[in-house]
Amino acid sequence: EAVDRHGEWVRDKCVVVPNGVDPATIEQYTANPAPPLAGELRVVYAGTIWARSWPPDFLRHWKQFVDKLAIPVRLDLYGRIEPEIQDEIRTFSADHPQVAIEHHGLVPPARATQAQLDSHVILIMALPEPGMVTYKIYECLASGRALVYFGLPESPGATMLRDAGAVSAPVAAYSADGVGQQFDNLAKAVAASDLSQFTANEVPPGLDTRARAEALLDALG
């Protein structure tokens, strides 16, 4: 992106050191595989929801998704949500009390991680910008959970998921059709009790913060 903006001279002068994941958090996910898909489907989003990152017609497609399934479903949201989206969720929940959506607000990182440990599916909502990589994607890749990505299909975040084997990413798009397709594919996977197509099978090396710090030190000489 810097090369596109400023020209080729930037290429040899830039070093990218991505966000990392605490080694203890990676160990938690490694020691606690995803729970069996039985009784209830637990879906989690942890992070900020901006108006610009809220997928089009998300709640309508969410209800259609829940209505298709033979098992109960819950959606837990952790983190800050912009007021206009909060109002949309409150109105939706009042109109559809049978569809479980709960916003827990800002919580300590350990609680958000525990929620993801207890989940079957983690949602990723990236800003619809070509060069966007949401910082949460690194922990999500390490989680071993099914990942449903909402973002531009040509973005680096979508590419990272495809490279890791989470093949839900190619249909990720900020359009109502793209959101609906994501949920349709997830519904089929849940009905078959097989979420593997949404789960990274190759975790990128060097995700932990120690490796990232070493890369920064190397860059600084």
Side-chain angles (χ1 to χ4, degrees):
E1 186 176 348
V3 171
D4 290 341
R5 288 185 181 183
H6 305 291
E8 282 293 330
W9 69 270
V10 175
R11 190 179 299 278
D12 294 332
K13 298 181 181 297
C14 290
V15 176
V16 177
V17 180
N19 286 322
V21 185
D22 188 297
T25 300
I26 294 177
E27 289 174 8
Q28 278 185 286
Y29 286 120
T30 302
N32 296 277
L37 188 57
E40 179 183 62
L41 178 71
R42 295 191 293 277
V43 183
V44 165
Y45 176 82
T48 299
I49 297 179
W50 307 99
R52 289 181 59 232
S53 65
W54 185 238
D57 287 340
F58 178 89
L59 293 174
R60 178 172 67 86
H61 288 298
W62 171 256
K63 183 179 184 304
Q64 291 175 350
F65 166 71
V66 172
D67 289 345
K68 289 176 183 177
L69 299 184
I71 60 174
V73 186
R74 64 175 296 132
L75 172 58
D76 290 287
L77 308 175
Y78 295 84
R80 177 179 177 271
I81 300 178
E82 286 205 299
E84 63 192 271
I85 306 302
Q86 285 194 49
D87 292 343
E88 186 180 328
I89 292 171
R90 288 193 195 99
T91 300
F92 173 85
S93 298
D95 292 343
H96 306 285
Q98 76 281 10
V99 180
I101 298 179
E102 187 167 354
H103 178 213
H104 301 268
L106 293 170
V107 299
R111 184 177 171 195
T113 296
Q114 187 60 55
Q116 294 188 157
L117 282 164
D118 294 338
S119 73
H120 301 98
V121 178
I122 298 173
L123 304 183
I124 304 171
M125 300 180 193
L127 289 167
E129 298 174 358
M132 182 65 193
V133 180
T134 175
Y135 75 97
K136 288 292 295 183
I137 201 168
Y138 302 101
E139 182 175 344
C140 292
L141 282 168
S143 71
R145 272 55 180 173
L147 307 176
V148 176
Y149 180 80
F150 299 105
L152 298 178
E154 68 274 16
S155 68
T159 300
M160 287 176 64
L161 289 172
R162 284 195 293 270
D163 290 347
V167 296
S168 70
V171 300
Y174 266 86
S175 67
D177 288 344
V179 174
Q181 188 177 355
Q182 284 286 57
F183 278 128
D184 284 347
N185 290 347
L186 182 60
K188 292 173 185 175
V190 173
S193 297
D194 182 8
L195 298 177
S196 60
Q197 65 173 300
F198 289 88
T199 307
N201 53 39
E202 282 189 32
V203 178
L207 278 181
D208 68 82
T209 47
R210 288 175 299 197
R212 300 304 203 213
E214 289 172 2
L216 179 59
L217 289 173
D218 287 344
L220 294 174

PDB file of all heavy atoms in Angstrom, residues 24 42 58 69 87 113 146 159 181:
ATOM      1  N   ALA A  24       0.853 -17.018  25.917  1.00  0.00           N
ATOM      2  CA  ALA A  24      -0.038 -17.706  26.862  1.00  0.00           C
ATOM      3  C   ALA A  24      -1.426 -17.916  26.249  1.00  0.00           C
ATOM      4  O   ALA A  24      -2.081 -18.945  26.504  1.00  0.00           O
ATOM      5  CB  ALA A  24      -0.148 -16.903  28.157  1.00  0.00           C
ATOM      6  N   ARG A  42     -22.625 -21.770  19.473  1.00  0.00           N
ATOM      7  CA  ARG A  42     -22.210 -20.528  20.121  1.00  0.00           C
ATOM      8  C   ARG A  42     -21.332 -19.730  19.157  1.00  0.00           C
ATOM      9  O   ARG A  42     -20.272 -20.195  18.733  1.00  0.00           O
ATOM     10  CB  ARG A  42     -21.469 -20.824  21.428  1.00  0.00           C
ATOM     11  CG  ARG A  42     -22.370 -21.492  22.465  1.00  0.00           C
ATOM     12  CD  ARG A  42     -21.716 -21.551  23.835  1.00  0.00           C
ATOM     13  NE  ARG A  42     -20.565 -22.428  23.871  1.00  0.00           N
ATOM     14  CZ  ARG A  42     -20.622 -23.744  24.040  1.00  0.00           C
ATOM     15  NH1 ARG A  42     -21.793 -24.352  24.177  1.00  0.00           N
ATOM     16  NH2 ARG A  42     -19.518 -24.461  24.082  1.00  0.00           N
ATOM     17  N   PHE A  58     -26.980  -7.411   8.106  1.00  0.00           N
ATOM     18  CA  PHE A  58     -26.468  -8.491   8.948  1.00  0.00           C
ATOM     19  C   PHE A  58     -27.575  -9.145   9.753  1.00  0.00           C
ATOM     20  O   PHE A  58     -27.682 -10.374   9.793  1.00  0.00           O
ATOM     21  CB  PHE A  58     -25.394  -7.960   9.900  1.00  0.00           C
ATOM     22  CG  PHE A  58     -24.844  -8.998  10.841  1.00  0.00           C
ATOM     23  CD1 PHE A  58     -23.757  -9.772  10.475  1.00  0.00           C
ATOM     24  CD2 PHE A  58     -25.430  -9.208  12.083  1.00  0.00           C
ATOM     25  CE1 PHE A  58     -23.256 -10.749  11.341  1.00  0.00           C
ATOM     26  CE2 PHE A  58     -24.941 -10.181  12.954  1.00  0.00           C
ATOM     27  CZ  PHE A  58     -23.846 -10.948  12.575  1.00  0.00           C
ATOM     28  N   LEU A  69     -31.635 -23.555  11.189  1.00  0.00           N
ATOM     29  CA  LEU A  69     -30.948 -24.576  11.976  1.00  0.00           C
ATOM     30  C   LEU A  69     -31.897 -25.338  12.892  1.00  0.00           C
ATOM     31  O   LEU A  69     -32.901 -24.805  13.360  1.00  0.00           O
ATOM     32  CB  LEU A  69     -29.835 -23.931  12.803  1.00  0.00           C
ATOM     33  CG  LEU A  69     -28.731 -23.232  12.004  1.00  0.00           C
ATOM     34  CD1 LEU A  69     -27.652 -22.720  12.940  1.00  0.00           C
ATOM     35  CD2 LEU A  69     -28.122 -24.170  10.965  1.00  0.00           C
ATOM     36  N   ASP A  87     -28.540   0.667  18.586  1.00  0.00           N
ATOM     37  CA  ASP A  87     -29.980   0.895  18.443  1.00  0.00           C
ATOM     38  C   ASP A  87     -30.601  -0.122  17.492  1.00  0.00           C
ATOM     39  O   ASP A  87     -31.707  -0.639  17.737  1.00  0.00           O
ATOM     40  CB  ASP A  87     -30.240   2.311  17.918  1.00  0.00           C
ATOM     41  CG  ASP A  87     -29.880   3.385  18.935  1.00  0.00           C
ATOM     42  OD1 ASP A  87     -29.743   3.052  20.133  1.00  0.00           O
ATOM     43  OD2 ASP A  87     -29.729   4.567  18.529  1.00  0.00           O
ATOM     44  N   THR A 113     -11.277 -13.599  25.587  1.00  0.00           N
ATOM     45  CA  THR A 113     -10.601 -14.824  25.141  1.00  0.00           C
ATOM     46  C   THR A 113     -11.364 -16.055  25.610  1.00  0.00           C
ATOM     47  O   THR A 113     -11.530 -17.026  24.856  1.00  0.00           O
ATOM     48  CB  THR A 113      -9.160 -14.858  25.663  1.00  0.00           C
ATOM     49  OG1 THR A 113      -8.415 -13.779  25.082  1.00  0.00           O
ATOM     50  CG2 THR A 113      -8.478 -16.176  25.298  1.00  0.00           C
ATOM     51  N   ALA A 146     -13.977 -22.094  14.041  1.00  0.00           N
ATOM     52  CA  ALA A 146     -14.466 -21.726  12.719  1.00  0.00           C
ATOM     53  C   ALA A 146     -14.497 -20.200  12.621  1.00  0.00           C
ATOM     54  O   ALA A 146     -14.909 -19.520  13.568  1.00  0.00           O
ATOM     55  CB  ALA A 146     -15.855 -22.304  12.492  1.00  0.00           C
ATOM     56  N   THR A 159      -6.950 -12.763   2.230  1.00  0.00           N
ATOM     57  CA  THR A 159      -5.856 -13.574   1.691  1.00  0.00           C
ATOM     58  C   THR A 159      -5.214 -14.425   2.776  1.00  0.00           C
ATOM     59  O   THR A 159      -4.906 -15.612   2.561  1.00  0.00           O
ATOM     60  CB  THR A 159      -4.797 -12.665   1.039  1.00  0.00           C
ATOM     61  OG1 THR A 159      -5.404 -11.927  -0.029  1.00  0.00           O
ATOM     62  CG2 THR A 159      -3.636 -13.477   0.489  1.00  0.00           C
ATOM     63  N   GLN A 181     -24.533 -15.180   1.606  1.00  0.00           N
ATOM     64  CA  GLN A 181     -23.827 -16.381   1.165  1.00  0.00           C
ATOM     65  C   GLN A 181     -22.973 -16.957   2.285  1.00  0.00           C
ATOM     66  O   GLN A 181     -22.900 -18.179   2.459  1.00  0.00           O
ATOM     67  CB  GLN A 181     -22.962 -16.069  -0.059  1.00  0.00           C
ATOM     68  CG  GLN A 181     -22.355 -17.318  -0.695  1.00  0.00           C
ATOM     69  CD  GLN A 181     -21.556 -17.011  -1.948  1.00  0.00           C
ATOM     70  OE1 GLN A 181     -21.527 -15.876  -2.405  1.00  0.00           O
ATOM     71  NE2 GLN A 181     -20.902 -18.020  -2.483  1.00  0.00           N
TER      72      GLN A 181
END
